[in-house]
Amino acid sequence: MKQTVHPPEHRSVRLRNGAAHAAPPAARTTERRRPASPQWAAWAFLTPVTLYLALFYAYPLYRNLDLSLRNYTVRSFVQGDAPFTGLENYRKVFDDPTFAPALLHTVVFTGVCLAFQYAIGLALAVFFNQHFRLSATLRALFLVPWLLPLIVSASTWSWMLNSDSGIVNAALHALGLGPVNWLTSPSWSLTSVIIANIWIGVPFNLVVLYSGLQSIPSGLYEAAALDGAGAWRRFWSITFPLLRPVSAITLLLGLVYTLKVFDIIWIMTKGGPADASTTFATWSYQLGFGNLLPAFGQGAAVGNLLVVAALAFGLLYMRVQRKQAYS
């Protein structure tokens, strides 16, 4: 038996002019739910990031600061009764005879690595920007040092710079030159780790700077060439100025990375010989874990000095970027 469905009844409404029209059906009694507030959606997206930053950045920094202000020993780590000493650990660090050489090595290591990594990376980026045959293949091969684990890269350089069986000394012998104690001489150990770190950091500069070059309009180079500007003139007048924002972030990231380099130095020289290649990163590890009687507070103090240095350069970069945006 078929069930007939009757359409909703429309009531006739009489207007003033005598005409009549059908009134709309009765409104639904149920109301639609209102959409969620955009503010709650924003907090929902921010919550995972906030928790991640709090657990893996803010809390470790707080613990490291607390560690540097107390006299922690192995026993106090277990019992939790480390006495508060204030800035005593920092005073001991500044009075330590290793402080001045470690500071000098950190500055030299960071400055030389940044300069050569940026210069070589920029030269390679400009070279590969010509889009010649096999450009993509060669560019991919240059990424190998960046993709390798640091322990593999450092171990490879340790073998290459070995005084007795290294390939570098073998090449020097073939050229009629005497061997060099790259890793065991106080005069050469810092140079050795600098060379290894430059080799590892060049691919990062190449990738970032090459991406920046791709954003420069090619029409600028064509117009400059029509005006008679040579390759060197086009580089200084077009490439280098327009690449300045990318260069700034490249140098900042390279600075933060180079300040905390530990793996390469520790695997190759362990900061020696006679602290000739000791930086703040390796010194902090030696104070906290390299002795039978570890000085956890002093090691944390040295680590905090690195954090302050990286933070200072980060704030300086933000200030420069803000000035450029306003100008």
Side-chain angles (χ1 to χ4, degrees):
M1 181 178 180
K2 296 183 179 180
Q3 184 179 0
T4 58
V5 180
H6 298 281
E9 297 182 355
H10 296 266
R11 292 180 299 173
S12 178
V13 180
R14 182 68 60 180
L15 301 178
R16 291 182 180 180
N17 56 5
H21 76 283
R28 296 181 180 178
T29 56
T30 58
E31 296 181 356
R32 294 181 180 179
R33 293 184 178 180
R34 295 181 179 179
S37 174
Q39 184 177 2
W40 287 105
W43 280 110
F45 282 106
L46 286 176
T47 298
V49 179
T50 305
L51 291 176
Y52 175 81
L53 293 177
L55 291 176
F56 297 100
Y57 285 89
Y59 180 72
L61 287 176
Y62 162 74
R63 288 293 300 161
N64 199 61
L65 179 62
D66 179 72
L67 188 66
S68 66
L69 299 177
R70 296 180 181 274
N71 185 19
Y72 269 98
T73 61
V74 178
R75 182 182 61 84
S76 61
F77 263 111
V78 178
Q79 298 181 355
D81 57 348
F84 182 80
T85 58
L87 300 177
E88 181 66 20
N89 289 321
Y90 292 91
R91 186 190 65 80
K92 291 181 179 179
V93 165
F94 291 137
D95 293 340
D96 196 300
T98 310
F99 176 79
L103 176 61
L104 177 62
H105 297 159
T106 303
V107 173
V108 172
F109 179 81
T110 304
V112 174
C113 286
L114 278 181
F116 278 90
Q117 286 174 356
Y118 177 79
I120 298 174
L122 180 59
L124 290 174
V126 174
F127 174 71
F128 286 119
N129 197 39
Q130 305 302 318
H131 301 291
F132 55 90
R133 184 177 295 181
L134 299 179
S135 173
T137 303
L138 293 176
R139 199 165 64 246
L141 292 177
F142 269 98
L143 294 179
V144 172
W146 191 29
L147 300 177
L148 288 175
L150 290 178
I151 187 173
V152 175
S153 300
S155 300
T156 303
W157 275 100
S158 297
W159 169 76
M160 292 174 59
L161 297 176
N162 187 274
S163 301
D164 300 325
S165 58
I167 189 175
V168 176
N169 277 348
L172 293 177
H173 179 73
L175 295 175
L177 302 176
V180 177
N181 297 322
W182 296 97
L183 305 178
T184 58
S185 172
S187 303
W188 288 99
S189 58
L190 184 62
T191 303
S192 302
V193 295
I194 287 176
I195 293 174
N197 191 67
I198 291 174
W199 180 78
I200 294 173
V202 164
F204 171 76
N205 288 259
L206 167 62
V207 171
V208 179
L209 295 174
Y210 179 80
S211 300
L213 288 176
Q214 297 299 302
S215 63
I216 299 178
S218 59
L220 296 177
Y221 295 103
E222 297 174 359
L226 292 177
D227 291 339
W232 191 249
R233 182 64 178 177
R234 292 197 300 269
F235 173 79
W236 282 111
S237 300
I238 299 175
T239 304
F240 194 73
L242 295 181
L243 206 61
R244 190 173 300 166
V246 180
S247 300
I249 190 62
T250 304
L251 291 173
L252 176 64
L253 294 177
L255 173 68
V256 174
Y257 168 79
T258 309
L259 279 175
K260 64 183 184 63
V261 167
F262 166 78
D263 317 65
I264 301 168
I265 301 176
W266 190 257
I267 293 173
M268 294 181 63
T269 64
K270 289 185 170 59
D275 295 333
S277 58
T278 296
T279 61
F280 274 0
T282 58
W283 188 31
S284 176
Y285 179 83
Q286 288 175 346
L287 289 171
F289 304 99
N291 301 316
L292 295 177
L293 296 176
F296 295 115
Q298 297 177 39
V302 176
N304 286 333
L305 294 179
L306 286 175
V307 173
V308 171
L311 181 62
F313 282 104
L315 294 176
L316 178 62
Y317 167 77
M318 293 174 61
R319 184 175 181 179
V320 172
Q321 289 294 99
R322 190 179 294 111
K323 286 185 177 180
Q324 291 181 354
Y326 289 155
S327 60

